Amino acid sequence: MDAAIDKDLLLLIAQGNEEAFRQLFNAYLPKITGYLNPIIKFPAVAEEVAMDVLTKIWLARDMLPQVQNIDAFFFRIAKNKAIDYLRSVANKPEIQDETWIHSQELTESEMADYQLCQREFTTALMNAINLLSPQRKKIFLLSREAGMTHEQISKLTGLSKATINNHLTDAQKFLRTHLLQQVDLITLLIFLHKIH
């Protein structure tokens, strides 16, 4: 796919066009998986991480028109998601011997860069959460930090599930908009799961 077509696709995807996203997904899944294979070493896991990268891109599709170099953008997210995966298996002895040893191929500067991004994002996220109204902040934290369902939050707060859903949707929109002003788009996409 040439750059012009990619840019057109990104604009369509940003508007919620699922067929355009399917084209992008089919074109980039093998490219991202191929990029991740030497890092992760396990093709099935590399493909899973690649799918996660593309899913995050769909969730943040409204920000895609800001992307200049699509390949560099996707591969940077993929590399950081790979580091995220390798760090997550570090404390799992059953797969540590097979997988974690391969993380040693990542340079110290790559790990340091990832950790810096993580710290910057966490700080920016907490600052953004503190800007939410008290009720919205409480609902967001009950959902994201405590892992409560809409029904559980509804019983606790006395608010309807529809109201809970509206608060969470509005909180996500606000946090994404605010965070985009504080951290770069790549960092936001890497840690998007902390908002959704």
Side-chain angles (χ1 to χ4, degrees), residues 112-172:
D113 182 46
Y114 173 84
Q115 290 167 341
L116 178 62
C117 286
Q118 191 173 39
R119 284 195 299 271
E120 285 179 355
F121 180 85
T122 300
T123 300
L125 177 60
M126 289 314 299
N127 290 339
I129 289 172
N130 287 330
L131 294 174
L132 295 170
S133 68
Q135 186 175 54
R136 192 161 289 171
K137 176 180 175 181
K138 178 182 179 182
I139 291 168
F140 181 82
L141 291 174
L142 287 172
S143 173
R144 297 302 175 267
E145 300 298 321
M148 295 177 70
T149 65
H150 287 35
E151 187 172 352
Q152 291 170 327
I153 298 172
S154 176
K155 287 179 181 175
L156 184 67
T157 61
L159 299 170
S160 71
K161 285 190 282 186
T163 300
I164 299 297
N165 186 62
N166 288 340
H167 273 298
L168 288 172
T169 300
D170 289 344
Q172 288 170 353

Side-chain angles (χ1 to χ4, degrees), residues 76-77 79-88 90-91 100 103-104 106-124 183-184 186-187 190-191 194:
R76 170 87 187 278
I77 295 167
K79 178 186 276 188
N80 281 285
K81 288 302 296 177
I83 295 172
D84 206 18
Y85 166 75
L86 292 169
R87 284 166 57 86
S88 75
N91 298 316
W100 181 244
S103 71
Q104 304 311 309
L106 297 166
T107 66
E108 285 184 25
S109 65
E110 286 173 331
M111 289 298 285
D113 182 46
Y114 173 84
Q115 290 167 341
L116 178 62
C117 286
Q118 191 173 39
R119 284 195 299 271
E120 285 179 355
F121 180 85
T122 300
T123 300
V183 299
D184 64 44
I186 289 174
T187 300
I190 293 165
F191 300 109
K194 293 183 181 288

